[in-house]
Amino acid sequence: MHRELVTPRPDWRERCEQVGFGYHTIDGTYWDESACYAFSADEIDLLESATAELHRMCLKACEHVVKRGRFAEFAIPLQFHPLVARSWRRRDPTLFGRFDLAWTGKGEPKLLEYNADTPTALLEASVVQWHWMQEVKDGCDQFNSLHEKLIDAWRGIGPTLDGAMLHFACAKDSDEDLGNVEYLRDTAIQAGIPSAQVFIEDIGWDASARCFVDLERRPINALFKLY
């Protein structure tokens, strides 16, 4: 693994915005084209193997938490303990998570965080990076296949929705969250799942039908949230 200095594209802001990545300068420098990292095939294999093992270990830890009832140690309110346990035992489908790793290129990668509840960086890691690579590093390969795998994952989840519309929700005041949610919604649409966007603040409750609804009073039977 080595770090390469690269000349940023002169119109990189416009190029990013063309693919929906308008939050490229959050709090100053966020998307930075002045450097990139190159990996060997063996290093990629090692990272894939390590993340697969880390995921397996995290699932094993979840099983332990449910079996031993250790929800309080994760600040999960008491009234939600049975819901979490039922969801786990049903093996409800999951979509994606993000590992944050520390690695120098030598030895084994170390896990800093597994963000499986509010993972972001999807659009930039899949689409934006791919477009950058095509223009700056033509002939190279991108490490991930996020876009294709997300569509495949939705195709597996789709039948469990039983035809219900899938709502995508986030807070109104976050361009980053909206960008990630809209990208996810696009991948769901490509997988054939009907969808709608709704802000968390706009979710309502229909007392007569006893269900949550969007601004058009459509029932929310299935929802992905980034919140």
Side-chain angles (χ1 to χ4, degrees):
M1 177 181 68
H2 60 275
R3 185 175 187 268
E4 298 180 356
L5 297 179
V6 185
T7 301
R9 294 171 294 176
D11 59 345
W12 68 267
R13 290 176 178 82
E14 292 80 5
R15 302 294 286 167
C16 287
E17 291 164 7
Q18 286 173 2
V19 293
F21 184 44
Y23 46 96
H24 46 66
T25 52
I26 299 174
D27 300 325
T29 301
Y30 175 52
W31 178 259
D32 187 353
E33 294 193 359
S34 64
C36 67
Y37 290 84
F39 297 82
S40 68
D42 287 343
E43 288 169 335
I44 292 301
D45 290 342
L46 189 151
L47 284 170
E48 288 192 318
S49 175
T51 52
E53 176 63 12
L54 286 167
H55 179 64
R56 185 194 66 79
M57 293 170 68
C58 288
L59 293 181
K60 188 175 180 180
C62 290
E63 179 74 24
H64 175 81
V65 169
V66 172
K67 282 186 175 181
R68 301 296 178 90
R70 299 178 64 173
F71 304 103
E73 295 172 60
F74 292 87
I76 299 174
L78 181 62
Q79 63 268 36
F80 296 122
H81 294 186
L83 296 175
V84 174
R86 284 204 297 271
S87 176
W88 175 258
R89 289 170 183 141
R90 284 197 306 259
R91 294 298 188 262
D92 286 343
T94 61
L95 184 63
F96 73 110
R98 189 194 71 229
F99 280 116
D100 294 341
L101 305 174
W103 193 45
T104 65
K106 298 178 181 178
E108 297 294 330
K110 302 299 181 183
L111 175 62
L112 301 178
E113 178 188 8
Y114 188 9
N115 194 329
D117 184 45
T118 56
T120 55
L122 275 176
L123 181 61
E124 50 268 47
S126 56
V127 178
V128 185
Q129 181 177 257
W130 187 85
H131 281 283
W132 168 86
M133 184 190 66
Q134 294 296 305
E135 295 181 25
V136 180
K137 291 287 184 179
D138 187 33
C140 294
D141 292 325
Q142 181 169 270
F143 172 20
N144 71 73
S145 53
L146 274 171
H147 188 77
E148 296 79 9
K149 285 186 170 65
L150 282 169
I151 295 172
D152 286 343
W154 283 123
R155 286 177 178 144
I157 292 173
T160 70
L161 303 176
D162 197 26
M165 175 175 287
L166 177 61
H167 283 77
F168 288 80
C170 66
K172 286 182 178 179
D173 60 355
S174 176
D175 292 338
E176 180 186 10
D177 288 2
L178 180 59
N180 277 272
V181 165
E182 283 294 85
Y183 171 62
L184 275 174
R185 191 164 76 91
D186 179 69
T187 59
I189 291 171
Q190 291 187 54
I193 297 175
S195 69
Q197 188 270 329
V198 61
F199 289 114
I200 292 285
E201 297 91 335
D202 292 333
I203 294 176
W205 175 255
D206 186 331
S208 59
R210 296 193 60 77
C211 68
F212 291 105
V213 294
D214 62 18
L215 286 174
E216 298 180 30
R217 302 194 67 81
R218 292 175 297 192
I220 298 177
N221 296 312
L223 180 138
F224 175 92
K225 60 86 185 168
L226 179 61
Y227 184 58

